[in-house]
Amino acid sequence: MNEYSLQHKKAWEFDAYDFWVRTAGTPEERASKDKEKTRKMLKQYANYFDFFEGVKVANICGSCGKKAIPLALLGAEVTVFDISEANKKYAMETAEAAGVNIGYEVCDIMEIDMDKYAGFFDVVFMEGGILHYFHDIDVFMNVMNGLLKPGGKMICSDFHPFTKISDILGLQQPTMSYFSTDIFEGEMAHARFYDEEIRKQIPKCHYRKYTISEIINSIIGSGFTLERFDEHPSWENEKLPGEFTAIAKKDMKGADKWLA
């Protein structure tokens, strides 16, 4: 695990389990909500799945299982990949309370065990803003491609690149030139919910934000066919773009370097 990934691990294991209990409820309470409003818990992302039953899903940076468990309740076979042991603890307890099984691998996404998972999944799915945690988007997209079976689908939903120049989501992160390629230090996503004294103790993360063209070109360059690119309004100001979702398919004929 490289240095910046270790730093991210420290940040995402800081008070994480208790944070989820405070904000999402106990695992039992969260499981009850997931069972009651299963499809609603997936928000707009449910519409990007062709079907759920029996689909093998890699939930990338799946955190506390907030999307993995609804997917499992709908019949998908979900494996979460995430860097935080505390996130895993909450997710696994919630899954048990919901009466479903999910897999959960605590690892650096760039170091997923390809001897085990190359070509294994029908869908790779990510949401909630994760691309900025990875400093080489081309390597990241190559890993995503490698996880999929030929013909498999990537559902990549993330913060809109417009957030580089405006804090339109209220995340309290620095803004910069839209075309900046700098890596910068910033707070992890939940830091703003703590009082100032605790906030100072939370380890920082090291981010790299991308432009639309960098994201699209990386998807295409890693062997995907980009099928759709949707933009969604900010939850702070519906007149501005806040998120995007890219849908891409792995080439049916593509050879996997991971399996070579």
Side-chain angles (χ1 to χ4, degrees):
M1 194 176 293
N2 61 46
E3 186 175 345
Y4 76 82
S5 293
L6 286 170
Q7 188 71 8
H8 295 169
K9 183 175 178 65
K10 292 176 184 177
W12 278 98
E13 289 182 345
F14 183 94
D15 192 47
Y17 182 91
D18 290 339
F19 176 83
W20 295 124
V21 170
R22 290 194 303 273
T23 59
T26 65
E28 292 75 19
E29 290 168 339
R30 178 69 191 203
S32 178
K33 295 174 189 174
D34 287 340
K35 289 192 291 183
E36 181 184 354
K37 300 178 180 179
T38 304
R39 191 178 177 98
K40 187 176 180 181
M41 289 298 194
L42 292 174
K43 299 183 179 179
Q44 73 267 26
Y45 312 118
N47 298 324
Y48 293 108
F49 286 82
D50 300 315
F51 55 93
F52 300 100
E53 190 68 38
V55 176
K56 290 183 171 61
V57 179
N59 186 194
I60 306 302
C61 297
S63 188
C64 64
K66 62 184 176 179
K67 297 295 182 285
I69 291 160
L71 284 169
L73 284 165
L74 291 168
E77 300 174 22
V78 188
T79 303
V80 176
F81 296 89
D82 194 89
I83 206 164
S84 170
E85 290 283 357
N87 283 348
K88 178 180 180 179
K89 182 176 187 293
Y90 185 90
M92 298 304 284
E93 290 180 7
T94 304
E96 182 178 5
V100 295
N101 294 315
I102 62 171
Y104 203 114
E105 298 281 353
V106 177
C107 63
D108 183 340
I109 301 302
M110 300 297 204
E111 298 174 1
I112 289 174
D113 183 359
M114 284 300 182
D115 289 335
K116 182 176 181 180
Y117 289 114
F120 185 82
F121 295 99
D122 301 300
V123 175
V124 293
F125 168 52
M126 64 212 77
E127 54 80 35
I130 70 164
L131 292 180
H132 55 287
Y133 287 107
F134 302 97
H135 296 180
D136 190 327
I137 194 171
D138 293 334
V139 174
F140 176 84
M141 289 298 175
N142 282 332
V143 172
M144 297 304 101
N145 189 283
L147 290 169
L148 284 169
K149 299 174 181 177
K153 176 190 283 191
M154 178 175 69
I155 303 170
C156 174
S157 189
D158 212 278
F159 299 148
H160 197 284
F162 195 80
T163 60
K164 293 186 75 173
I165 60 172
S166 175
D167 187 20
I168 54 174
L169 296 177
L171 298 176
Q172 300 178 23
Q173 288 190 352
T175 56
M176 64 200 74
S177 162
Y178 179 77
F179 296 101
S180 173
T181 60
D182 291 346
I183 293 166
F184 65 95
E185 185 177 81
E187 292 182 313
M188 59 91 69
H190 301 157
R192 66 190 189 279
F193 297 112
Y194 290 87
D195 64 43
E196 201 60 36
E197 284 307 307
I198 296 178
R199 192 171 180 172
K200 292 175 183 176
Q201 301 171 34
I202 301 175
K204 297 291 196 298
C205 293
H206 294 94
Y207 299 121
R208 162 69 159 94
K209 290 188 175 182
Y210 299 97
T211 64
I212 288 177
S213 60
E214 285 178 314
I215 294 165
I216 290 175
N217 289 333
S218 184
I219 291 170
I220 295 169
S222 61
F224 285 106
T225 298
L226 182 63
E227 295 195 329
R228 189 177 182 93
F229 192 94
D230 293 334
E231 296 174 285
H232 314 293
S234 164
W235 57 71
E236 293 284 330
N237 183 345
E238 65 181 15
K239 295 180 180 180
L240 299 173
E243 297 176 283
F244 73 87
T245 302
I247 306 299
K249 287 285 188 74
K250 180 172 180 173
D251 188 344
M252 286 291 293
K253 300 177 182 179
D256 260 319
K257 67 179 181 180
W258 309 103
L259 300 174

Short mmCIF file of all heavy atoms in Angstrom, two decimals, residues 154-200:
data_model
loop_
_atom_site.label_atom_id
_atom_site.label_comp_id
_atom_site.label_asym_id
_atom_site.label_seq_id
_atom_site.Cartn_x
_atom_site.Cartn_y
_atom_site.Cartn_z
N MET A 154 -19.54 -1.15 -16.38
CA MET A 154 -19.09 -0.27 -15.31
C MET A 154 -20.12 0.85 -15.13
O MET A 154 -20.51 1.51 -16.10
CB MET A 154 -17.73 0.35 -15.62
CG MET A 154 -17.26 1.33 -14.53
SD MET A 154 -15.60 1.99 -14.76
CE MET A 154 -15.82 3.03 -16.21
N ILE A 155 -20.57 1.04 -13.89
CA ILE A 155 -21.42 2.17 -13.51
C ILE A 155 -20.57 3.06 -12.61
O ILE A 155 -20.30 2.73 -11.46
CB ILE A 155 -22.68 1.69 -12.76
CG1 ILE A 155 -23.48 0.70 -13.62
CG2 ILE A 155 -23.55 2.88 -12.36
CD1 ILE A 155 -24.59 0.00 -12.86
N CYS A 156 -20.12 4.16 -13.16
CA CYS A 156 -19.21 5.06 -12.45
C CYS A 156 -19.92 6.39 -12.21
O CYS A 156 -20.05 7.20 -13.13
CB CYS A 156 -17.93 5.27 -13.25
SG CYS A 156 -16.80 6.50 -12.55
N SER A 157 -20.39 6.59 -10.98
CA SER A 157 -21.03 7.86 -10.62
C SER A 157 -20.12 8.59 -9.65
O SER A 157 -19.62 8.00 -8.69
CB SER A 157 -22.40 7.59 -9.99
OG SER A 157 -23.11 8.80 -9.82
N ASP A 158 -19.92 9.87 -9.89
CA ASP A 158 -18.93 10.60 -9.10
C ASP A 158 -19.27 12.08 -9.08
O ASP A 158 -20.21 12.53 -9.74
CB ASP A 158 -17.53 10.39 -9.70
CG ASP A 158 -16.44 10.41 -8.64
OD1 ASP A 158 -16.02 11.52 -8.25
OD2 ASP A 158 -16.02 9.33 -8.19
N PHE A 159 -18.49 12.83 -8.29
CA PHE A 159 -18.65 14.28 -8.25
C PHE A 159 -18.34 14.86 -9.63
O PHE A 159 -17.37 14.46 -10.28
CB PHE A 159 -17.73 14.90 -7.21
CG PHE A 159 -17.98 14.43 -5.80
CD1 PHE A 159 -16.93 14.34 -4.90
CD2 PHE A 159 -19.25 14.11 -5.36
CE1 PHE A 159 -17.14 13.92 -3.59
CE2 PHE A 159 -19.48 13.69 -4.06
CZ PHE A 159 -18.42 13.60 -3.18
N HIS A 160 -19.13 15.82 -10.04
CA HIS A 160 -18.91 16.47 -11.32
C HIS A 160 -17.59 17.26 -11.28
O HIS A 160 -17.28 17.90 -10.27
CB HIS A 160 -20.06 17.42 -11.63
CG HIS A 160 -20.14 17.82 -13.06
ND1 HIS A 160 -19.29 18.76 -13.62
CD2 HIS A 160 -20.96 17.43 -14.05
CE1 HIS A 160 -19.59 18.93 -14.88
NE2 HIS A 160 -20.60 18.13 -15.19
N PRO A 161 -16.80 17.22 -12.36
CA PRO A 161 -15.55 17.99 -12.37
C PRO A 161 -15.72 19.49 -12.15
O PRO A 161 -14.75 20.17 -11.82
CB PRO A 161 -15.00 17.69 -13.77
CG PRO A 161 -15.47 16.31 -14.05
CD PRO A 161 -16.87 16.28 -13.49
N PHE A 162 -16.93 20.00 -12.27
CA PHE A 162 -17.17 21.41 -11.96
C PHE A 162 -16.80 21.74 -10.52
O PHE A 162 -16.52 22.90 -10.18
CB PHE A 162 -18.65 21.74 -12.23
CG PHE A 162 -18.97 23.20 -12.29
CD1 PHE A 162 -18.72 23.94 -13.43
CD2 PHE A 162 -19.53 23.86 -11.20
CE1 PHE A 162 -19.02 25.30 -13.49
CE2 PHE A 162 -19.83 25.21 -11.24
CZ PHE A 162 -19.57 25.94 -12.39
N THR A 163 -16.78 20.70 -9.66
CA THR A 163 -16.40 20.93 -8.25
C THR A 163 -14.94 21.36 -8.12
O THR A 163 -14.54 21.81 -7.04
CB THR A 163 -16.62 19.66 -7.40
OG1 THR A 163 -15.83 18.58 -7.91
CG2 THR A 163 -18.09 19.26 -7.39
N LYS A 164 -14.16 21.23 -9.18
CA LYS A 164 -12.78 21.72 -9.12
C LYS A 164 -12.73 23.23 -8.93
O LYS A 164 -11.81 23.75 -8.29
CB LYS A 164 -12.00 21.34 -10.39
CG LYS A 164 -11.75 19.86 -10.56
CD LYS A 164 -10.85 19.57 -11.75
CE LYS A 164 -9.41 19.90 -11.45
NZ LYS A 164 -8.49 19.47 -12.53
N ILE A 165 -13.71 23.92 -9.50
CA ILE A 165 -13.66 25.39 -9.48
C ILE A 165 -14.72 26.02 -8.57
O ILE A 165 -14.72 27.23 -8.36
CB ILE A 165 -13.80 25.97 -10.90
CG1 ILE A 165 -15.13 25.56 -11.55
CG2 ILE A 165 -12.63 25.54 -11.77
CD1 ILE A 165 -15.40 26.25 -12.88
N SER A 166 -15.62 25.19 -8.01
CA SER A 166 -16.66 25.73 -7.14
C SER A 166 -17.10 24.66 -6.14
O SER A 166 -17.30 23.51 -6.52
CB SER A 166 -17.86 26.19 -7.98
OG SER A 166 -18.93 26.61 -7.15
N ASP A 167 -17.25 25.04 -4.90
CA ASP A 167 -17.68 24.10 -3.86
C ASP A 167 -19.21 23.95 -3.92
O ASP A 167 -19.92 24.25 -2.96
CB ASP A 167 -17.22 24.59 -2.48
CG ASP A 167 -17.49 23.56 -1.38
OD1 ASP A 167 -17.67 22.37 -1.70
OD2 ASP A 167 -17.55 23.96 -0.20
N ILE A 168 -19.71 23.46 -5.05
CA ILE A 168 -21.14 23.42 -5.29
C ILE A 168 -21.86 22.33 -4.49
O ILE A 168 -23.08 22.32 -4.41
CB ILE A 168 -21.44 23.21 -6.79
CG1 ILE A 168 -20.71 21.97 -7.33
CG2 ILE A 168 -21.10 24.44 -7.58
CD1 ILE A 168 -21.07 21.64 -8.75
N LEU A 169 -21.10 21.42 -3.87
CA LEU A 169 -21.72 20.38 -3.05
C LEU A 169 -21.58 20.67 -1.56
O LEU A 169 -22.02 19.88 -0.74
CB LEU A 169 -21.10 19.01 -3.38
CG LEU A 169 -21.34 18.52 -4.81
CD1 LEU A 169 -20.61 17.19 -5.04
CD2 LEU A 169 -22.83 18.36 -5.10
N GLY A 170 -20.94 21.77 -1.22
CA GLY A 170 -20.79 22.14 0.18
C GLY A 170 -19.88 21.20 0.95
O GLY A 170 -20.07 21.00 2.16
N LEU A 171 -18.87 20.65 0.28
CA LEU A 171 -17.96 19.70 0.93
C LEU A 171 -16.79 20.38 1.62
O LEU A 171 -15.97 19.72 2.25
CB LEU A 171 -17.44 18.70 -0.11
CG LEU A 171 -18.50 17.81 -0.78
CD1 LEU A 171 -17.89 16.95 -1.85
CD2 LEU A 171 -19.23 16.98 0.25
N GLN A 172 -16.69 21.68 1.46
CA GLN A 172 -15.65 22.48 2.11
C GLN A 172 -14.24 22.04 1.69
O GLN A 172 -13.31 22.01 2.48
CB GLN A 172 -15.81 22.43 3.64
CG GLN A 172 -17.15 22.96 4.12
CD GLN A 172 -17.34 22.88 5.61
OE1 GLN A 172 -16.37 22.83 6.37
NE2 GLN A 172 -18.58 22.88 6.06
N GLN A 173 -14.10 21.69 0.42
CA GLN A 173 -12.79 21.35 -0.13
C GLN A 173 -12.25 22.52 -0.94
O GLN A 173 -13.03 23.34 -1.46
CB GLN A 173 -12.89 20.11 -1.03
CG GLN A 173 -13.09 18.82 -0.26
CD GLN A 173 -12.94 17.61 -1.14
OE1 GLN A 173 -12.82 17.71 -2.36
NE2 GLN A 173 -12.94 16.44 -0.53
N PRO A 174 -10.92 22.62 -1.06
CA PRO A 174 -10.34 23.73 -1.82
C PRO A 174 -10.77 23.69 -3.28
O PRO A 174 -11.04 22.63 -3.84
CB PRO A 174 -8.83 23.47 -1.70
CG PRO A 174 -8.67 22.55 -0.55
CD PRO A 174 -9.90 21.73 -0.47
N THR A 175 -10.86 24.87 -3.89
CA THR A 175 -11.11 24.96 -5.32
C THR A 175 -9.81 25.41 -6.00
O THR A 175 -8.88 25.88 -5.36
CB THR A 175 -12.24 25.94 -5.63
OG1 THR A 175 -11.93 27.22 -5.06
CG2 THR A 175 -13.55 25.44 -5.03
N MET A 176 -9.79 25.27 -7.33
CA MET A 176 -8.53 25.49 -8.07
C MET A 176 -8.87 25.74 -9.53
O MET A 176 -10.03 25.80 -9.92
CB MET A 176 -7.65 24.25 -7.93
CG MET A 176 -8.28 23.00 -8.56
SD MET A 176 -7.60 21.45 -7.95
CE MET A 176 -8.39 21.42 -6.33
N SER A 177 -7.84 25.84 -10.35
CA SER A 177 -8.05 25.89 -11.79
C SER A 177 -8.71 24.59 -12.25
O SER A 177 -8.36 23.50 -11.79
CB SER A 177 -6.70 26.05 -12.50
OG SER A 177 -6.81 25.71 -13.87
N TYR A 178 -9.65 24.72 -13.18
CA TYR A 178 -10.31 23.52 -13.71
C TYR A 178 -9.29 22.56 -14.31
O TYR A 178 -9.46 21.33 -14.23
CB TYR A 178 -11.34 23.92 -14.77
CG TYR A 178 -12.06 22.74 -15.38
CD1 TYR A 178 -13.07 22.09 -14.69
CD2 TYR A 178 -11.72 22.28 -16.65
CE1 TYR A 178 -13.72 20.99 -15.24
CE2 TYR A 178 -12.37 21.20 -17.21
CZ TYR A 178 -13.37 20.54 -16.51
OH TYR A 178 -14.01 19.46 -17.06
N PHE A 179 -8.23 23.07 -14.87
CA PHE A 179 -7.25 22.24 -15.57
C PHE A 179 -6.07 21.83 -14.68
O PHE A 179 -5.11 21.22 -15.16
CB PHE A 179 -6.74 22.96 -16.82
CG PHE A 179 -7.83 23.20 -17.83
CD1 PHE A 179 -8.42 24.45 -17.94
CD2 PHE A 179 -8.28 22.18 -18.64
CE1 PHE A 179 -9.44 24.67 -18.85
CE2 PHE A 179 -9.30 22.38 -19.55
CZ PHE A 179 -9.89 23.64 -19.66
N SER A 180 -6.15 22.13 -13.40
CA SER A 180 -5.07 21.77 -12.49
C SER A 180 -4.89 20.25 -12.41
O SER A 180 -5.86 19.49 -12.37
CB SER A 180 -5.36 22.30 -11.08
OG SER A 180 -4.40 21.81 -10.16
N THR A 181 -3.63 19.83 -12.40
CA THR A 181 -3.30 18.42 -12.21
C THR A 181 -2.62 18.20 -10.86
O THR A 181 -2.06 17.13 -10.60
CB THR A 181 -2.37 17.91 -13.34
OG1 THR A 181 -1.15 18.68 -13.31
CG2 THR A 181 -3.03 18.06 -14.70
N ASP A 182 -2.69 19.20 -9.99
CA ASP A 182 -2.02 19.12 -8.69
C ASP A 182 -2.70 18.11 -7.76
O ASP A 182 -3.91 17.93 -7.79
CB ASP A 182 -2.02 20.49 -8.00
CG ASP A 182 -1.13 21.50 -8.70
OD1 ASP A 182 -0.32 21.09 -9.55
OD2 ASP A 182 -1.28 22.71 -8.41
N ILE A 183 -1.88 17.49 -6.93
CA ILE A 183 -2.38 16.71 -5.80
C ILE A 183 -2.40 17.63 -4.61
O ILE A 183 -1.43 18.34 -4.33
CB ILE A 183 -1.48 15.49 -5.55
CG1 ILE A 183 -1.60 14.51 -6.73
CG2 ILE A 183 -1.86 14.79 -4.24
CD1 ILE A 183 -0.53 13.44 -6.76
N PHE A 184 -3.52 17.68 -3.90
CA PHE A 184 -3.65 18.61 -2.79
C PHE A 184 -4.15 17.90 -1.54
O PHE A 184 -4.78 16.85 -1.61
CB PHE A 184 -4.58 19.76 -3.16
CG PHE A 184 -6.02 19.35 -3.40
CD1 PHE A 184 -6.96 19.42 -2.39
CD2 PHE A 184 -6.41 18.89 -4.65
CE1 PHE A 184 -8.28 19.04 -2.60
CE2 PHE A 184 -7.74 18.51 -4.87
CZ PHE A 184 -8.66 18.59 -3.84
N GLU A 185 -3.84 18.49 -0.40
CA GLU A 185 -4.28 17.94 0.88
C GLU A 185 -5.64 18.53 1.25
O GLU A 185 -5.87 19.72 1.09
CB GLU A 185 -3.26 18.26 1.97
CG GLU A 185 -3.59 17.62 3.31
CD GLU A 185 -2.51 17.89 4.35
OE1 GLU A 185 -2.53 18.99 4.94
OE2 GLU A 185 -1.66 17.01 4.55
N GLY A 186 -6.52 17.68 1.72
CA GLY A 186 -7.84 18.14 2.14
C GLY A 186 -8.43 17.23 3.19
O GLY A 186 -7.94 16.12 3.43
N GLU A 187 -9.50 17.68 3.80
CA GLU A 187 -10.16 16.88 4.82
C GLU A 187 -10.93 15.72 4.18
O GLU A 187 -11.39 15.81 3.04
CB GLU A 187 -11.13 17.74 5.62
CG GLU A 187 -10.45 18.79 6.48
CD GLU A 187 -11.46 19.57 7.30
OE1 GLU A 187 -12.48 20.00 6.72
OE2 GLU A 187 -11.22 19.76 8.51
N MET A 188 -11.07 14.63 4.95
CA MET A 188 -11.94 13.56 4.49
C MET A 188 -13.39 14.03 4.58
O MET A 188 -13.70 15.01 5.26
CB MET A 188 -11.70 12.27 5.28
CG MET A 188 -11.92 12.38 6.77
SD MET A 188 -13.61 12.00 7.28
CE MET A 188 -13.70 10.25 6.97
N ALA A 189 -14.27 13.32 3.90
CA ALA A 189 -15.62 13.81 3.66
C ALA A 189 -16.40 14.13 4.92
O ALA A 189 -17.22 15.06 4.94
CB ALA A 189 -16.39 12.79 2.81
N HIS A 190 -16.17 13.38 6.01
CA HIS A 190 -17.00 13.55 7.19
C HIS A 190 -16.46 14.55 8.20
O HIS A 190 -17.11 14.83 9.20
CB HIS A 190 -17.19 12.20 7.90
CG HIS A 190 -17.82 11.17 7.03
ND1 HIS A 190 -17.68 9.82 7.23
CD2 HIS A 190 -18.59 11.30 5.92
CE1 HIS A 190 -18.34 9.16 6.31
NE2 HIS A 190 -18.89 10.03 5.49
N ALA A 191 -15.28 15.09 7.94
CA ALA A 191 -14.63 15.95 8.94
C ALA A 191 -15.50 17.15 9.31
O ALA A 191 -15.51 17.58 10.47
CB ALA A 191 -13.27 16.42 8.42
N ARG A 192 -16.24 17.67 8.34
CA ARG A 192 -17.03 18.88 8.59
C ARG A 192 -18.16 18.66 9.59
O ARG A 192 -18.77 19.63 10.06
CB ARG A 192 -17.57 19.43 7.27
CG ARG A 192 -18.59 18.55 6.58
CD ARG A 192 -18.87 19.06 5.17
NE ARG A 192 -19.98 18.38 4.51
CZ ARG A 192 -19.89 17.21 3.91
NH1 ARG A 192 -18.74 16.55 3.91
NH2 ARG A 192 -20.96 16.68 3.32
N PHE A 193 -18.46 17.41 9.91
CA PHE A 193 -19.54 17.11 10.85
C PHE A 193 -19.07 17.05 12.31
O PHE A 193 -19.87 16.83 13.21
CB PHE A 193 -20.21 15.79 10.48
CG PHE A 193 -20.86 15.81 9.13
CD1 PHE A 193 -20.36 15.06 8.09
CD2 PHE A 193 -21.97 16.60 8.90
CE1 PHE A 193 -20.96 15.07 6.84
CE2 PHE A 193 -22.59 16.64 7.65
CZ PHE A 193 -22.08 15.86 6.62
N TYR A 194 -17.77 17.24 12.54
CA TYR A 194 -17.21 17.19 13.89
C TYR A 194 -16.95 18.60 14.42
O TYR A 194 -16.77 19.54 13.63
CB TYR A 194 -15.90 16.39 13.90
CG TYR A 194 -16.08 14.92 13.67
CD1 TYR A 194 -16.13 14.37 12.39
CD2 TYR A 194 -16.20 14.04 14.75
CE1 TYR A 194 -16.30 13.02 12.18
CE2 TYR A 194 -16.36 12.68 14.56
CZ TYR A 194 -16.41 12.19 13.27
OH TYR A 194 -16.58 10.83 13.08
N ASP A 195 -16.88 18.73 15.73
CA ASP A 195 -16.52 20.03 16.28
C ASP A 195 -15.05 20.29 16.00
O ASP A 195 -14.28 19.39 15.65
CB ASP A 195 -16.84 20.14 17.77
CG ASP A 195 -16.06 19.18 18.65
OD1 ASP A 195 -14.84 19.02 18.44
OD2 ASP A 195 -16.67 18.58 19.56
N GLU A 196 -14.63 21.53 16.17
CA GLU A 196 -13.33 21.98 15.70
C GLU A 196 -12.17 21.20 16.32
O GLU A 196 -11.18 20.88 15.65
CB GLU A 196 -13.17 23.47 15.96
CG GLU A 196 -12.12 24.14 15.09
CD GLU A 196 -12.41 24.03 13.60
OE1 GLU A 196 -13.59 24.08 13.21
OE2 GLU A 196 -11.44 23.88 12.83
N GLU A 197 -12.25 20.89 17.60
CA GLU A 197 -11.15 20.20 18.27
C GLU A 197 -10.94 18.79 17.71
O GLU A 197 -9.81 18.36 17.47
CB GLU A 197 -11.40 20.15 19.78
CG GLU A 197 -11.15 21.46 20.48
CD GLU A 197 -9.76 22.04 20.20
OE1 GLU A 197 -8.78 21.30 20.39
OE2 GLU A 197 -9.67 23.20 19.78
N ILE A 198 -12.02 18.07 17.52
CA ILE A 198 -11.90 16.71 16.95
C ILE A 198 -11.52 16.79 15.48
O ILE A 198 -10.70 16.00 14.98
CB ILE A 198 -13.21 15.93 17.13
CG1 ILE A 198 -13.49 15.73 18.62
CG2 ILE A 198 -13.15 14.58 16.41
CD1 ILE A 198 -14.79 15.01 18.92
N ARG A 199 -12.08 17.76 14.80
CA ARG A 199 -11.79 17.93 13.37
C ARG A 199 -10.30 18.06 13.10
O ARG A 199 -9.78 17.53 12.11
CB ARG A 199 -12.55 19.17 12.87
CG ARG A 199 -12.60 19.34 11.38
CD ARG A 199 -13.56 20.46 11.00
NE ARG A 199 -13.63 20.68 9.57
CZ ARG A 199 -14.51 21.48 8.98
NH1 ARG A 199 -15.39 22.15 9.72
NH2 ARG A 199 -14.52 21.62 7.66
N LYS A 200 -9.61 18.75 13.98
CA LYS A 200 -8.16 18.93 13.82
C LYS A 200 -7.40 17.61 13.94
O LYS A 200 -6.28 17.49 13.44
CB LYS A 200 -7.64 19.91 14.88
CG LYS A 200 -8.11 21.34 14.70
CD LYS A 200 -7.63 22.20 15.86
CE LYS A 200 -8.14 23.63 15.77
NZ LYS A 200 -7.74 24.44 16.95
#
